[in-house]
Amino acid sequence: MAILEDAVRTRGWVTPAVTIVATQDRDPYKVLVSCILSLRTRDQVTAEASQRLFALADTPQKMALLEVAKIEQAIYPVGFYRVKAQQILELSFQLCELYQGRVPDELETLLTFKGVGRKTANLVLTLGYGKPGICVDIHVHRICNRWGYVKTGTPEQTELALRKKLPSEYWIIINDLLVTFGQNQCTPVSPRCSTCPLYALCDRVAVIKSR
């Protein structure tokens, strides 16, 4: 893991958008909203949309006062922007009505919100609250299986496998590392194996063609 950390830190790769939002002020609400925006959306678009939206409203109380059309306008062109705008508005109402405007810091509670899956919930816990958790998106799932570190069929299965196998000191950071690594080095199609610092340690499971 130290080799991976060194590669990510020294190669000038772009930090994931949600992580950038989180490092600004560690606001769980902003992490939650940014993660919703990031689904099926490129990082640059997510970062710009988050900035526009939070300039209008950066708390559940302020967001709940906006018209859904205003949210749509702010977050366009993120993927499924109309659906996400409605989701963000409903989520903000729920937080105000049920949790005094505070984002819950328990995994099972976060999973009760419409549209919030394990990936988003774990990101809120790890980046928003600094609590132990393993956020597994498609990059983490793909790369851990490609390495041969786990043998799983879904991101949820990968999360459970990693909770048993991965040393706890890497739980919070593994998503940041592998998202960046997966976008720049270990890509879904034709990964850059010839220049990979982990080449000797990787089983290259299901890799048919590489660069």
Side-chain angles (χ1 to χ4, degrees):
M1 193 63 72
I3 298 173
L4 176 61
E5 285 187 84
D6 183 65
V8 170
R9 308 302 183 204
T10 60
R11 296 196 180 194
W13 292 333
V14 177
T15 302
V18 177
T19 303
I20 293 174
V21 170
T23 55
Q24 290 171 351
D25 51 18
R26 293 292 174 186
D27 184 331
Y29 179 68
K30 289 184 179 180
V31 173
L32 176 57
V33 172
S34 294
C35 192
I36 291 171
L37 295 177
S38 73
L39 301 175
R40 303 289 184 90
T41 303
R42 292 185 295 108
D43 264 2
Q44 182 178 351
V45 174
T46 298
E48 293 170 353
S50 297
Q51 186 175 21
R52 290 193 301 271
L53 182 59
F54 295 143
L56 296 176
D58 58 0
T59 67
Q61 293 88 343
K62 293 177 182 177
M63 195 72 72
L65 296 176
L66 295 181
E67 297 289 338
V68 68
K70 193 72 172 177
I71 300 175
E72 290 177 0
Q73 183 181 25
I75 67 175
Y76 179 83
V78 301
F80 306 100
Y81 71 97
R82 289 193 174 92
V83 174
K84 291 177 180 178
Q86 187 65 46
Q87 181 185 351
I88 290 167
L89 187 59
E90 291 177 2
L91 182 67
S92 299
F93 275 123
Q94 275 188 283
L95 291 173
C96 291
E97 293 174 359
L98 301 177
Y99 300 97
Q100 294 77 51
R102 180 181 181 274
V103 176
D105 61 353
E106 298 295 335
L107 180 66
E108 296 306 320
T109 305
L110 288 166
L111 291 174
T112 65
F113 290 100
K114 181 180 178 181
V116 175
R118 295 188 69 88
K119 170 194 169 181
T120 298
N122 273 301
L123 269 180
V124 171
L125 294 181
T126 57
L127 297 183
Y129 285 109
K131 296 183 70 172
I134 302 177
C135 176
V136 176
D137 69 353
I138 194 64
H139 293 289
V140 178
H141 173 61
R142 180 186 76 251
I143 293 171
C144 286
N145 276 275
R146 181 175 282 172
W147 283 344
Y149 190 67
V150 300
K151 295 180 180 180
T152 55
T154 67
E156 183 171 346
Q157 291 172 0
T158 297
E159 180 195 337
L160 298 178
L162 289 175
R163 284 179 178 272
K164 296 178 181 178
K165 189 171 185 179
L166 185 69
S168 59
E169 62 263 33
Y170 298 116
W171 282 23
I172 291 179
I173 65 172
I174 189 171
N175 184 262
D176 274 1
L177 292 175
L178 292 191
V179 168
T180 304
F181 188 66
Q183 290 174 341
N184 295 277
Q185 184 82 46
C186 195
T187 51
V189 179
S190 297
R192 296 177 171 87
C193 296
S194 63
T195 60
C196 182
L198 299 176
Y199 183 85
L201 304 174
C202 179
D203 289 349
R204 295 182 291 287
V205 176
V207 173
I208 299 173
K209 182 180 180 181
S210 65
R211 288 176 280 175

